[in-house]
Amino acid sequence: MDKKQKQSNLLSGSIWDKALKFAIPLMLTGMLQQLFNATDVAIVGQFVGPTAMAAVGSNAPIVGLTVNAFIGISVGANVVIARCIGQANSKKVKEAAHTAVMLAIICGLLVAVIGTLVTKPLIGLMGVPEDVRPYSILYMRIYFLGAPFIMLYNFQSAIFRSIGNTKAPLICLAIGGVVNVCSNLFFIIVLNMTVDGVAWATVIANVVSSGLLFILLRREKSDVRIHVNKLRLDRRLMSQMMAIGIPSGIQQMVFALSNLCVQAAVNSLGSEVMAASSGSFYVEIMVYFVLNAFGQTCVTFIGQNYGAGNKKRCRQIFWQLMWINAIFTLVISVLVYVFSGNIMSLFNGDPKIIEYGMVRIKIMMLGQVVNAIMETTSGFLRGLGKSMPPALITLVCVCGVRIGWVYTIFAQYHTWEMLIFVYPLSWVVASVVLMVVTIRAMRKLLSDKMPETTEA
Protein backbone atom coordinates (compact mmCIF):
# COMPACT_ATOMS: atom_id res chain seq x y z
CA MET A 1 0.00 0.00 0.00
CA ASP A 2 1.49 3.35 -0.99
CA LYS A 3 1.39 6.52 1.04
CA LYS A 4 -1.71 7.99 -0.61
CA GLN A 5 -3.69 4.80 -0.17
CA LYS A 6 -2.61 4.49 3.42
CA GLN A 7 -3.76 8.00 4.22
CA SER A 8 -7.06 7.70 2.31
CA ASN A 9 -8.41 4.40 3.63
CA LEU A 10 -11.11 6.19 5.64
CA LEU A 11 -12.39 8.11 2.63
CA SER A 12 -13.99 5.28 0.67
CA GLY A 13 -15.46 1.80 0.98
CA SER A 14 -17.43 0.34 3.86
CA ILE A 15 -17.50 2.20 7.16
CA TRP A 16 -18.50 -0.24 9.89
CA ASP A 17 -15.53 -2.60 9.59
CA LYS A 18 -13.01 0.27 9.53
CA ALA A 19 -14.78 1.82 12.52
CA LEU A 20 -14.44 -1.40 14.53
CA LYS A 21 -10.75 -1.78 13.65
CA PHE A 22 -10.21 1.82 14.71
CA ALA A 23 -12.34 1.78 17.89
CA ILE A 24 -11.36 -1.53 19.51
CA PRO A 25 -7.71 -0.53 20.17
CA LEU A 26 -9.02 2.76 21.62
CA MET A 27 -11.25 0.81 24.01
CA LEU A 28 -8.35 -1.36 25.11
CA THR A 29 -6.11 1.70 25.56
CA GLY A 30 -8.56 3.31 27.97
CA MET A 31 -9.05 0.06 29.89
CA LEU A 32 -5.30 -0.49 30.18
CA GLN A 33 -4.77 3.03 31.52
CA GLN A 34 -7.40 2.42 34.19
CA LEU A 35 -5.90 -0.96 35.06
CA PHE A 36 -2.42 0.49 35.50
CA ASN A 37 -3.78 3.31 37.67
CA ALA A 38 -5.52 0.78 39.89
CA THR A 39 -2.31 -1.24 40.07
CA ASP A 40 -0.40 1.80 41.37
CA VAL A 41 -2.84 2.22 44.25
CA ALA A 42 -2.85 -1.51 45.00
CA ILE A 43 0.96 -1.77 45.17
CA VAL A 44 1.20 1.24 47.49
CA GLY A 45 -1.56 -0.15 49.69
CA GLN A 46 0.06 -3.57 49.93
CA PHE A 47 3.72 -2.62 50.43
CA VAL A 48 3.77 0.89 51.94
CA GLY A 49 0.64 1.46 54.00
CA PRO A 50 -2.68 3.27 54.27
CA THR A 51 -1.17 6.77 54.60
CA ALA A 52 0.75 6.47 51.33
CA MET A 53 -2.28 4.89 49.69
CA ALA A 54 -4.43 7.79 50.86
CA ALA A 55 -1.86 10.25 49.49
CA VAL A 56 -1.93 8.70 46.02
CA GLY A 57 -5.72 8.43 46.10
CA SER A 58 -6.19 12.01 47.29
CA ASN A 59 -4.41 13.25 44.16
CA ALA A 60 -6.81 11.41 41.83
CA PRO A 61 -9.00 14.50 41.17
CA ILE A 62 -5.98 16.63 40.16
CA VAL A 63 -4.53 13.82 38.05
CA GLY A 64 -7.93 13.29 36.43
CA LEU A 65 -8.31 16.98 35.61
CA THR A 66 -4.80 17.14 34.15
CA VAL A 67 -5.05 14.02 32.00
CA ASN A 68 -8.56 14.87 30.78
CA ALA A 69 -7.39 18.35 29.79
CA PHE A 70 -4.42 16.87 27.88
CA ILE A 71 -6.63 14.40 26.02
CA GLY A 72 -9.17 17.10 25.20
CA ILE A 73 -6.60 19.54 23.85
CA SER A 74 -5.00 16.83 21.70
CA VAL A 75 -8.35 16.41 19.89
CA GLY A 76 -7.53 19.66 18.09
CA ALA A 77 -4.42 18.10 16.55
CA ASN A 78 -6.40 15.03 15.52
CA VAL A 79 -9.07 17.07 13.72
CA VAL A 80 -6.69 19.47 11.95
CA ILE A 81 -4.35 16.72 10.68
CA ALA A 82 -7.26 14.49 9.63
CA ARG A 83 -8.79 17.37 7.68
CA CYS A 84 -5.48 18.07 5.90
CA ILE A 85 -5.23 14.37 5.04
CA GLY A 86 -8.75 14.46 3.62
CA GLN A 87 -7.75 17.43 1.48
CA ALA A 88 -4.75 15.41 0.21
CA ASN A 89 -2.62 18.41 1.18
CA SER A 90 0.71 16.71 1.83
CA LYS A 91 2.51 19.94 2.75
CA LYS A 92 -0.12 20.88 5.35
CA VAL A 93 -0.15 17.39 6.83
CA LYS A 94 3.60 17.57 7.42
CA GLU A 95 3.40 21.05 8.90
CA ALA A 96 0.46 20.10 11.12
CA ALA A 97 2.22 16.98 12.48
CA HIS A 98 5.36 18.94 13.37
CA THR A 99 3.28 21.74 14.88
CA ALA A 100 1.39 19.22 17.03
CA VAL A 101 4.58 17.72 18.46
CA MET A 102 6.08 21.14 19.13
CA LEU A 103 2.86 22.38 20.71
CA ALA A 104 2.77 19.31 22.97
CA ILE A 105 6.32 19.95 24.19
CA ILE A 106 5.71 23.64 24.91
CA CYS A 107 2.36 23.08 26.64
CA GLY A 108 3.78 20.18 28.63
CA LEU A 109 6.68 22.29 29.91
CA LEU A 110 4.30 25.09 30.91
CA VAL A 111 2.08 22.65 32.82
CA ALA A 112 5.14 21.15 34.54
CA VAL A 113 6.33 24.54 35.79
CA ILE A 114 2.91 25.89 36.79
CA GLY A 115 1.79 22.59 38.29
CA THR A 116 4.89 22.30 40.46
CA LEU A 117 4.38 25.85 41.76
CA VAL A 118 0.67 25.44 42.61
CA THR A 119 0.83 21.91 44.03
CA LYS A 120 0.99 22.95 47.68
CA PRO A 121 -1.96 25.38 47.60
CA LEU A 122 -4.00 22.90 45.51
CA ILE A 123 -3.47 20.15 48.08
CA GLY A 124 -4.45 22.62 50.77
CA LEU A 125 -7.68 23.55 48.97
CA MET A 126 -8.63 19.89 48.73
CA GLY A 127 -8.54 19.58 52.51
CA VAL A 128 -6.06 16.69 52.57
CA PRO A 129 -5.39 15.63 56.21
CA GLU A 130 -2.16 16.89 57.80
CA ASP A 131 -0.57 13.45 58.12
CA VAL A 132 -1.19 12.70 54.44
CA ARG A 133 -0.41 16.18 53.03
CA PRO A 134 3.44 15.91 52.78
CA TYR A 135 3.15 12.67 50.80
CA SER A 136 0.49 14.15 48.53
CA ILE A 137 2.63 17.21 47.78
CA LEU A 138 5.68 15.04 47.08
CA TYR A 139 3.72 12.77 44.73
CA MET A 140 2.12 15.62 42.77
CA ARG A 141 5.34 17.58 42.29
CA ILE A 142 7.08 14.53 40.82
CA TYR A 143 3.98 13.72 38.74
CA PHE A 144 3.95 17.22 37.21
CA LEU A 145 7.58 16.76 36.14
CA GLY A 146 6.28 14.11 33.77
CA ALA A 147 3.65 16.43 32.27
CA PRO A 148 5.63 17.07 29.03
CA PHE A 149 5.74 13.34 28.34
CA ILE A 150 2.04 12.84 29.11
CA MET A 151 1.17 15.70 26.78
CA LEU A 152 3.54 14.36 24.12
CA TYR A 153 2.00 10.87 24.32
CA ASN A 154 -1.53 12.22 23.86
CA PHE A 155 -0.63 14.48 20.94
CA GLN A 156 1.37 11.76 19.22
CA SER A 157 -1.56 9.39 19.75
CA ALA A 158 -3.77 12.01 18.10
CA ILE A 159 -1.39 12.11 15.12
CA PHE A 160 -1.61 8.34 14.72
CA ARG A 161 -5.41 8.44 15.07
CA SER A 162 -5.58 11.04 12.32
CA ILE A 163 -4.10 8.51 9.85
CA GLY A 164 -6.35 5.72 11.11
CA ASN A 165 -3.75 3.98 13.31
CA THR A 166 -4.92 3.27 16.86
CA LYS A 167 -2.78 0.17 17.39
CA ALA A 168 0.56 1.98 17.79
CA PRO A 169 -0.58 4.06 20.82
CA LEU A 170 -2.06 0.91 22.40
CA ILE A 171 1.14 -1.09 22.02
CA CYS A 172 3.31 1.74 23.35
CA LEU A 173 0.96 2.27 26.30
CA ALA A 174 1.04 -1.47 27.10
CA ILE A 175 4.84 -1.47 27.13
CA GLY A 176 4.88 1.67 29.26
CA GLY A 177 2.36 0.09 31.64
CA VAL A 178 4.53 -2.98 32.16
CA VAL A 179 7.50 -0.69 32.84
CA ASN A 180 5.32 1.21 35.32
CA VAL A 181 4.41 -1.90 37.32
CA CYS A 182 7.98 -3.23 37.34
CA SER A 183 9.36 0.18 38.35
CA ASN A 184 6.81 0.44 41.15
CA LEU A 185 7.88 -2.91 42.58
CA PHE A 186 11.58 -2.08 42.24
CA PHE A 187 11.38 1.38 43.84
CA ILE A 188 9.09 0.31 46.68
CA ILE A 189 10.30 -3.21 47.53
CA VAL A 190 14.00 -2.98 46.66
CA LEU A 191 14.76 0.71 47.32
CA ASN A 192 12.16 1.12 50.12
CA MET A 193 10.72 4.27 48.58
CA THR A 194 7.17 5.43 49.30
CA VAL A 195 4.90 7.64 47.18
CA ASP A 196 7.96 9.12 45.46
CA GLY A 197 8.69 5.66 44.05
CA VAL A 198 5.18 5.40 42.59
CA ALA A 199 5.43 8.91 41.15
CA TRP A 200 8.82 8.30 39.53
CA ALA A 201 7.56 4.99 38.12
CA THR A 202 4.68 6.89 36.50
CA VAL A 203 7.08 9.45 35.03
CA ILE A 204 9.36 6.74 33.65
CA ALA A 205 6.40 4.88 32.13
CA ASN A 206 5.24 8.07 30.38
CA VAL A 207 8.78 8.69 29.09
CA VAL A 208 8.84 5.17 27.65
CA SER A 209 5.37 5.38 26.05
CA SER A 210 5.91 8.81 24.51
CA GLY A 211 9.48 7.93 23.49
CA LEU A 212 8.37 4.80 21.67
CA LEU A 213 5.65 6.73 19.83
CA PHE A 214 8.21 9.37 18.85
CA ILE A 215 10.50 6.68 17.43
CA LEU A 216 7.59 5.26 15.43
CA LEU A 217 6.74 8.72 14.11
CA ARG A 218 10.36 9.20 13.09
CA ARG A 219 10.08 5.97 11.07
CA GLU A 220 6.54 6.51 9.75
CA LYS A 221 6.28 6.24 5.95
CA SER A 222 3.32 8.62 5.54
CA ASP A 223 3.22 12.41 5.61
CA VAL A 224 3.04 12.56 9.41
CA ARG A 225 6.64 11.38 9.71
CA ILE A 226 8.53 13.60 12.15
CA HIS A 227 11.91 15.18 11.40
CA VAL A 228 13.57 16.78 14.42
CA ASN A 229 15.09 19.59 12.36
CA LYS A 230 11.60 20.52 11.07
CA LEU A 231 9.93 20.87 14.46
CA ARG A 232 8.38 24.31 14.52
CA LEU A 233 5.05 26.02 15.11
CA ASP A 234 2.86 27.03 12.22
CA ARG A 235 0.80 29.83 13.80
CA ARG A 236 -2.28 29.28 11.65
CA LEU A 237 -2.37 25.53 12.23
CA MET A 238 -1.61 25.99 15.92
CA SER A 239 -4.51 28.44 16.22
CA GLN A 240 -6.84 25.91 14.58
CA MET A 241 -5.67 23.15 16.94
CA MET A 242 -6.15 25.32 20.00
CA ALA A 243 -9.55 26.61 18.81
CA ILE A 244 -10.78 23.01 18.66
CA GLY A 245 -8.69 21.53 21.47
CA ILE A 246 -9.16 24.09 24.25
CA PRO A 247 -12.99 23.85 24.36
CA SER A 248 -12.67 20.06 24.26
CA GLY A 249 -10.14 20.16 27.12
CA ILE A 250 -12.36 22.50 29.14
CA GLN A 251 -15.30 20.16 28.55
CA GLN A 252 -13.36 17.25 30.01
CA MET A 253 -12.23 19.34 32.99
CA VAL A 254 -15.76 20.59 33.69
CA PHE A 255 -16.98 16.98 33.62
CA ALA A 256 -14.43 16.12 36.30
CA LEU A 257 -15.38 19.15 38.40
CA SER A 258 -19.09 18.29 38.32
CA ASN A 259 -18.26 14.74 39.35
CA LEU A 260 -16.34 16.13 42.34
CA CYS A 261 -19.55 17.87 43.40
CA VAL A 262 -21.48 14.61 43.13
CA GLN A 263 -18.70 12.79 45.00
CA ALA A 264 -19.06 15.21 47.89
CA ALA A 265 -22.75 14.27 48.00
CA VAL A 266 -21.80 10.58 47.94
CA ASN A 267 -19.49 11.15 50.93
CA SER A 268 -22.44 12.58 52.90
CA LEU A 269 -24.21 9.19 52.71
CA GLY A 270 -21.62 7.31 54.74
CA SER A 271 -18.67 4.96 54.36
CA GLU A 272 -20.66 1.99 53.04
CA VAL A 273 -22.07 4.05 50.17
CA MET A 274 -18.60 5.53 49.51
CA ALA A 275 -17.11 2.04 49.25
CA ALA A 276 -19.92 0.84 46.99
CA SER A 277 -19.57 3.91 44.78
CA SER A 278 -15.82 3.38 44.40
CA GLY A 279 -16.23 -0.26 43.39
CA SER A 280 -19.04 0.38 40.92
CA PHE A 281 -17.11 3.26 39.35
CA TYR A 282 -14.46 0.85 38.04
CA VAL A 283 -17.24 -1.12 36.34
CA GLU A 284 -18.91 1.93 34.79
CA ILE A 285 -15.66 3.41 33.49
CA MET A 286 -15.03 0.27 31.44
CA VAL A 287 -18.40 0.74 29.71
CA TYR A 288 -17.56 4.40 29.15
CA PHE A 289 -14.33 3.46 27.37
CA VAL A 290 -16.42 1.53 24.85
CA LEU A 291 -18.80 4.34 23.93
CA ASN A 292 -16.06 6.99 24.11
CA ALA A 293 -13.93 4.98 21.65
CA PHE A 294 -16.66 5.30 19.03
CA GLY A 295 -16.93 9.00 19.79
CA GLN A 296 -13.20 9.42 19.09
CA THR A 297 -13.61 7.28 15.97
CA CYS A 298 -16.26 9.70 14.76
CA VAL A 299 -13.85 12.63 15.23
CA THR A 300 -11.21 11.16 12.90
CA PHE A 301 -13.57 9.72 10.28
CA ILE A 302 -15.54 12.96 10.02
CA GLY A 303 -12.35 15.04 10.06
CA GLN A 304 -10.85 13.25 7.06
CA ASN A 305 -14.04 13.11 5.04
CA TYR A 306 -15.01 16.70 5.80
CA GLY A 307 -11.56 17.76 4.63
CA ALA A 308 -12.10 15.79 1.43
CA GLY A 309 -15.52 17.38 0.89
CA ASN A 310 -17.30 14.01 1.20
CA LYS A 311 -20.44 15.54 2.69
CA LYS A 312 -22.79 12.60 2.10
CA ARG A 313 -20.23 10.18 3.52
CA CYS A 314 -20.01 12.36 6.65
CA ARG A 315 -23.73 11.80 7.16
CA GLN A 316 -23.34 8.06 6.57
CA ILE A 317 -20.45 7.90 9.04
CA PHE A 318 -22.44 9.65 11.73
CA TRP A 319 -25.52 7.44 11.52
CA GLN A 320 -23.57 4.19 11.19
CA LEU A 321 -21.36 5.05 14.16
CA MET A 322 -24.41 6.11 16.13
CA TRP A 323 -26.04 2.71 15.64
CA ILE A 324 -22.82 0.74 16.17
CA ASN A 325 -22.08 2.65 19.35
CA ALA A 326 -25.63 2.22 20.64
CA ILE A 327 -25.66 -1.53 19.92
CA PHE A 328 -22.24 -2.18 21.49
CA THR A 329 -23.10 -0.08 24.54
CA LEU A 330 -26.53 -1.70 24.94
CA VAL A 331 -25.13 -5.26 24.83
CA ILE A 332 -22.38 -4.51 27.35
CA SER A 333 -24.76 -2.55 29.59
CA VAL A 334 -27.24 -5.45 29.68
CA LEU A 335 -24.49 -7.92 30.58
CA VAL A 336 -23.20 -5.67 33.36
CA TYR A 337 -26.78 -5.10 34.59
CA VAL A 338 -27.52 -8.83 34.76
CA PHE A 339 -24.27 -9.72 36.51
CA SER A 340 -24.01 -6.60 38.70
CA GLY A 341 -24.17 -8.61 41.93
CA ASN A 342 -21.40 -10.97 40.89
CA ILE A 343 -19.26 -8.07 39.72
CA MET A 344 -19.65 -6.10 42.97
CA SER A 345 -18.76 -9.16 45.05
CA LEU A 346 -15.31 -9.07 43.43
CA PHE A 347 -14.66 -5.72 45.12
CA ASN A 348 -16.15 -6.39 48.55
CA GLY A 349 -18.00 -9.24 50.23
CA ASP A 350 -20.12 -7.06 52.52
CA PRO A 351 -23.80 -7.64 51.51
CA LYS A 352 -24.73 -4.01 52.21
CA ILE A 353 -21.91 -2.66 50.04
CA ILE A 354 -22.85 -5.10 47.27
CA GLU A 355 -26.47 -3.93 47.49
CA TYR A 356 -25.53 -0.25 47.26
CA GLY A 357 -23.14 -0.97 44.40
CA MET A 358 -25.83 -2.86 42.46
CA VAL A 359 -28.18 0.12 42.82
CA ARG A 360 -25.64 2.46 41.23
CA ILE A 361 -24.64 0.03 38.47
CA LYS A 362 -28.25 -0.72 37.46
CA ILE A 363 -29.28 2.94 37.33
CA MET A 364 -26.14 3.90 35.40
CA MET A 365 -26.47 1.03 32.91
CA LEU A 366 -30.03 2.08 32.06
CA GLY A 367 -28.68 5.37 30.70
CA GLN A 368 -25.49 4.30 28.95
CA VAL A 369 -27.12 4.11 25.50
CA VAL A 370 -28.06 7.78 25.88
CA ASN A 371 -24.48 8.49 26.90
CA ALA A 372 -23.38 6.80 23.65
CA ILE A 373 -25.55 9.25 21.70
CA MET A 374 -23.92 12.13 23.54
CA GLU A 375 -20.40 10.93 22.72
CA THR A 376 -21.16 10.27 19.04
CA THR A 377 -22.81 13.64 18.46
CA SER A 378 -19.94 15.40 20.23
CA GLY A 379 -17.46 13.50 18.05
CA PHE A 380 -19.33 14.48 14.89
CA LEU A 381 -19.31 18.18 15.80
CA ARG A 382 -15.63 18.13 16.75
CA GLY A 383 -14.79 16.39 13.48
CA LEU A 384 -16.36 19.36 11.68
CA GLY A 385 -14.20 21.67 13.77
CA LYS A 386 -17.16 22.79 15.92
CA SER A 387 -15.70 22.13 19.35
CA MET A 388 -17.37 24.96 21.25
CA PRO A 389 -21.04 23.78 20.98
CA PRO A 390 -20.50 20.39 22.72
CA ALA A 391 -18.37 22.11 25.37
CA LEU A 392 -21.06 24.68 26.16
CA ILE A 393 -23.85 22.09 26.04
CA THR A 394 -21.91 19.87 28.43
CA LEU A 395 -21.30 22.80 30.77
CA VAL A 396 -24.97 23.74 30.94
CA CYS A 397 -26.83 20.46 30.42
CA VAL A 398 -24.53 18.01 32.19
CA CYS A 399 -22.65 19.97 34.82
CA GLY A 400 -25.45 22.45 35.44
CA VAL A 401 -28.04 19.70 35.87
CA ARG A 402 -25.80 17.68 38.21
CA ILE A 403 -24.80 20.56 40.44
CA GLY A 404 -28.34 21.95 40.50
CA TRP A 405 -29.75 18.51 41.33
CA VAL A 406 -27.34 17.98 44.24
CA TYR A 407 -28.28 21.29 45.86
CA THR A 408 -32.04 21.06 45.25
CA ILE A 409 -33.65 17.64 44.70
CA PHE A 410 -30.99 15.59 46.50
CA ALA A 411 -30.90 18.09 49.36
CA GLN A 412 -34.63 17.47 49.87
CA TYR A 413 -34.69 13.70 49.15
CA HIS A 414 -31.41 12.58 50.66
CA THR A 415 -31.23 9.04 49.26
CA TRP A 416 -28.66 7.04 47.31
CA GLU A 417 -31.06 6.29 44.44
CA MET A 418 -32.07 9.93 44.09
CA LEU A 419 -28.44 11.03 43.84
CA ILE A 420 -27.40 8.50 41.20
CA PHE A 421 -30.46 9.26 39.07
CA VAL A 422 -28.85 12.60 38.17
CA TYR A 423 -26.33 10.87 35.88
CA PRO A 424 -28.76 9.42 33.30
CA LEU A 425 -30.94 12.52 33.66
CA SER A 426 -28.04 14.81 32.69
CA TRP A 427 -27.18 12.52 29.75
CA VAL A 428 -30.75 12.68 28.43
CA VAL A 429 -30.89 16.49 28.62
CA ALA A 430 -27.49 16.91 26.95
CA SER A 431 -28.18 14.29 24.28
CA VAL A 432 -31.44 15.92 23.20
CA VAL A 433 -29.77 19.31 22.80
CA LEU A 434 -26.70 17.81 21.10
CA MET A 435 -28.86 15.86 18.65
CA VAL A 436 -30.74 19.02 17.66
CA VAL A 437 -27.46 20.90 17.15
CA THR A 438 -25.96 17.96 15.23
CA ILE A 439 -28.93 17.62 12.84
CA ARG A 440 -28.81 21.35 12.14
CA ALA A 441 -25.05 21.14 11.50
CA MET A 442 -25.62 18.19 9.16
CA ARG A 443 -28.29 20.04 7.19
CA LYS A 444 -26.00 23.03 6.84
CA LEU A 445 -23.16 20.76 5.75
CA LEU A 446 -25.27 19.10 3.04
CA SER A 447 -26.60 22.42 1.76
CA ASP A 448 -23.14 24.02 1.70
CA LYS A 449 -21.87 24.92 -1.75
CA MET A 450 -18.41 23.49 -1.13
CA PRO A 451 -17.43 20.90 -3.75
CA GLU A 452 -17.56 17.22 -2.94
CA THR A 453 -13.76 17.03 -3.10
CA THR A 454 -11.26 19.69 -2.13
CA GLU A 455 -8.22 20.26 -4.26
CA ALA A 456 -4.83 20.01 -2.59
Side-chain angles (χ1 to χ4, degrees), residues 242-253:
M242 298 300 282
I244 297 169
I246 289 178
S248 181
I250 292 174
Q251 178 178 345
Q252 297 299 324
M253 293 176 68

Side-chain angles (χ1 to χ4, degrees), residues 159-439:
I159 293 173
F160 275 108
R161 287 199 303 272
S162 71
I163 62 173
N165 183 349
T166 53
K167 292 180 181 178
L170 171 61
I171 293 171
C172 292
L173 176 71
I175 295 172
V178 172
V179 170
N180 185 27
V181 174
C182 294
S183 299
N184 272 330
L185 294 172
F186 176 76
F187 288 143
I188 291 175
I189 297 176
V190 179
L191 300 184
N192 293 317
M193 298 172 72
T194 59
V195 295
D196 54 339
V198 177
W200 282 118
T202 301
V203 172
I204 292 170
N206 287 318
V207 171
V208 170
S209 298
S210 60
L212 289 173
L213 275 182
F214 187 76
I215 291 171
L216 292 178
L217 279 175
R218 294 271 290 119
R219 297 177 178 178
E220 175 64 35
K221 301 301 182 183
S222 67
D223 288 332
V224 298
R225 181 173 183 171
I226 296 299
H227 302 271
V228 177
N229 62 337
K230 295 182 180 179
L231 285 174
R232 58 181 58 87
L233 292 174
D234 180 292
R235 291 186 179 181
R236 185 167 177 272
L237 291 170
M238 180 186 70
S239 297
Q240 292 174 5
M241 290 179 188
M242 298 300 282
I244 297 169
I246 289 178
S248 181
I250 292 174
Q251 178 178 345
Q252 297 299 324
M253 293 176 68
V254 170
F255 250 128
L257 288 171
S258 69
N259 287 338
L260 285 177
C261 178
V262 176
Q263 183 59 45
V266 171
N267 296 345
S268 71
L269 293 171
S271 59
E272 289 181 330
V273 172
M274 290 173 64
S277 182
S278 297
S280 59
F281 169 78
Y282 285 104
V283 180
E284 296 154 20
I285 198 68
M286 294 302 176
V287 180
Y288 172 76
F289 289 138
V290 174
L291 57 93
N292 177 255
F294 286 106
Q296 292 189 52
T297 301
C298 197
V299 171
T300 301
F301 279 51
I302 295 296
Q304 279 203 23
N305 284 273
Y306 179 64
N310 295 336
K311 298 179 291 182
K312 292 181 180 179
R313 186 171 172 84
C314 285
R315 180 176 61 182
Q316 293 170 352
I317 289 169
F318 171 73
W319 288 114
Q320 285 196 35
L321 282 174
M322 177 71 80
W323 282 110
I324 294 171
N325 199 355
I327 291 169
F328 262 76
T329 303
L330 177 62
V331 171
I332 294 174
S333 297
V334 169
L335 290 174
V336 172
Y337 185 98
V338 171
F339 296 103
S340 58
N342 304 86
I343 295 170
M344 277 305 301
S345 65
L346 297 174
F347 291 93
N348 195 293
D350 188 321
K352 199 66 177 176
I353 292 177
I354 293 175
E355 180 184 346
Y356 282 132
M358 288 173 63
V359 168
R360 171 164 178 157
I361 289 175
K362 288 183 176 181
I363 293 175
M364 295 289 275
M365 290 307 107
L366 289 173
Q368 290 297 340
V369 172
V370 181
N371 200 6
I373 295 172
M374 190 170 72
E375 287 294 321
T376 310
T377 50
S378 295
F380 175 81
L381 293 169
R382 291 194 193 106
L384 295 179
K386 301 178 183 297
S387 191
M388 188 61 73
L392 292 176
I393 292 168
T394 299
L395 176 63
V396 176
C397 298
V398 175
C399 303
V401 167
R402 290 179 187 178
I403 294 173
W405 184 272
V406 167
Y407 289 104
T408 56
I409 305 300
F410 175 69
Q412 185 173 358
Y413 304 99
H414 200 72
T415 66
W416 177 225
E417 293 84 357
M418 191 60 70
L419 176 60
I420 296 305
F421 183 73
V422 74
Y423 282 103
L425 174 65
S426 64
W427 295 337
V428 169
V429 174
S431 294
V432 170
V433 179
L434 277 167
M435 183 60 79
V436 171
V437 173
T438 297
I439 291 174

